[in-house]
Amino acid sequence: MTHRPQLTRLGLFDARVPRYTSYPTAPHFGTGIGEADFTGWIQDIPENSQISLYLHVPFCRRLCWFCACRTQGTTSDDPVIAYVQTLKAELALLKTHLPRGVSLSRLHWGGGTPTLLSASQIRDLAETIFTVAPLARNGEFSVEIDPNEVDDARLDALAASGMNRASIGVQDFDPLIQKTIGREQSYALTQDVAERIRARGIGSLNADILYGLPHQTGPRIADSVQKLLTLSPDRVALYGYAHVPWMSRRQQMIPSDTMPTPQERLSLFETARQLFLWDGYDEIGIDHFAKPTDGMAKAAKAGTLRRNFQGYTDDTSPVLIGLGASSISRFPQGFAQNVSATAAYTKAVRAGRFPTHRGHRFADEDTLRARIIEALMCDFRVSRAELLRDFDTTPDRVEALLRAAGETFGDMVTITPEAFIIPERAKPLTRMIARAFDAYDQTKALHSAAV
């Protein structure tokens, strides 16, 4: 990569930048949003429309050291049983406020480890969900599956309940790396689970793999990617591991001196990227790959790719309702997040209240800036005509926003009368360029400088 000095000068190897799965990002949410806002936003959903639904299961049998998600370990089934009952109560509460005729374009179970649930719990929870809102005719029901925590009975229950897309966490197949990050999972086990998923008629398979892990080298990540390719996943998320031991205590188990340098991280990404491209996958945004026949690849070609809290999506529903502790909901009016602690979440729901704890109501230029950031993250370009068509703004204001970012990044961006474009050579800077449109990040930076 001949332009690495330019990337270095612009801060690529030093900056910590949000993934922009929302705008504003969750750290900027405040406590001014509560149950009344959430209830009102649900009631404002149009009748007979489609929404997305996310259920968070924050339990794991073991806590992987690399993971910074909101999860808790349990060796007993008792807290899981109690939590599922609370989820069902939250669903019943949702049902009392949801307008008539609403169906689900997407249903996703994440965690944690959703496959920690027993087969009977899986069936019971799915049945409860579909009494609240059925899956739309072309709807997608996806579940995150831990190959170490699933068996035939649970796979049978998921298939019988309508799961039509499975997501398997891989991270890396190298034994040394797996031991260092606290996630031991053999290739043979992963291959077996993938085969058992497909044997049940579940035709779509996602996989997650990480770059930037401890002890990771070019040959090691190449070996892991080639093993993953033998499973023929329909979609792959190639996420960069964020080593933040000061934020995630469990990451303190990982020796910091085993981490690759920022420059090595970029090389690891490029190695994996080339292997996916050589195998015929389409590149989706900054960190996903998909077979050309997959819905995400089709959305990318059609210009309908979007971002949500799981990353990229081909779902264009304007409403995403998150259930469970710490889950975030997105509405046309703003964001609402449930309280994170399971005890506080349970207390609120069992008292007959939505556990909304914080959030953000869109104001000023929020939706305009959100769309600019999303377009850059998805398409690497922002159409002036689209902004003027879809938002209450002026040509002068759009010009000012685009020019300000252009001045920061110079010839690493292209500004034409039609669009603001990130060229191929600058794609590693995409999140940093997106940050130039983040008014909340800029305000925070100015405040820090003043202090």
Side-chain angles (χ1 to χ4, degrees), residues 286 372-373 375-382 409 411-415 419-434 437:
I286 64 168
I372 292 173
I373 289 170
L376 291 174
M377 295 289 291
C378 292
D379 308 318
F380 305 105
R381 72 188 308 275
V382 180
F409 291 96
D411 64 357
M412 297 299 277
V413 299
T414 301
I415 302 178
F420 180 100
I421 302 165
I422 301 176
E424 183 69 30
R425 69 181 184 281
K427 284 184 177 180
L429 292 168
T430 297
R431 290 196 302 173
M432 295 187 65
I433 296 170
F437 297 94

Side-chain angles (χ1 to χ4, degrees), residues 261-292:
T261 67
Q263 291 84 352
E264 289 169 340
R265 282 172 60 93
L266 184 59
S267 293
L268 291 167
F269 174 82
E270 284 297 323
T271 296
R273 172 179 177 268
Q274 286 299 329
L275 289 170
F276 287 121
L277 295 179
W278 288 339
D279 212 59
Y281 284 75
D282 287 354
E283 190 169 12
I284 311 295
I286 64 168
D287 55 16
H288 278 54
F289 300 85
K291 291 182 177 180

Side-chain angles (χ1 to χ4, degrees), residues 164-206:
N164 51 21
R165 182 177 291 275
S167 182
I168 294 181
V170 171
Q171 322 321 334
D172 194 286
F173 284 119
D174 185 89
L176 173 62
I177 294 173
Q178 289 186 353
K179 186 175 181 180
T180 306
I181 66 175
R183 170 73 176 228
E184 296 187 48
Q185 175 183 315
S186 70
Y187 168 74
L189 172 64
T190 309
Q191 181 186 43
D192 177 62
V193 170
E195 290 174 352
R196 285 191 281 155
I197 288 169
R198 287 200 167 108
R200 286 162 172 80
I202 299 161
S204 298
L205 181 67
N206 298 359

Side-chain angles (χ1 to χ4, degrees), residues 57 61 77 80-81 84 109 113-126 149-158 161:
V57 180
R61 292 289 184 212
D77 289 337
V80 180
I81 293 169
V84 170
W109 294 6
T113 309
T115 49
L116 200 68
L117 275 58
S118 68
S120 61
Q121 287 174 320
I122 288 169
R123 288 190 177 91
D124 186 31
L125 185 57
E149 189 61 52
V150 74
D151 54 22
D152 284 337
R154 283 176 279 186
L155 288 175
D156 286 341
L158 287 167
S161 298

Side-chain angles (χ1 to χ4, degrees), residues 62-66 148 170-186 213-216 220 250-255 258:
R62 52 173 188 165
L63 294 177
C64 303
W65 302 336
F66 73 91
N148 289 290
V170 171
Q171 322 321 334
D172 194 286
F173 284 119
D174 185 89
L176 173 62
I177 294 173
Q178 289 186 353
K179 186 175 181 180
T180 306
I181 66 175
R183 170 73 176 228
E184 296 187 48
Q185 175 183 315
S186 70
L213 289 169
H215 299 299
Q216 207 171 44
R220 280 180 169 148
R250 70 188 76 162
Q251 289 188 358
Q252 294 174 11
M253 302 290 290
I254 300 174
T258 63

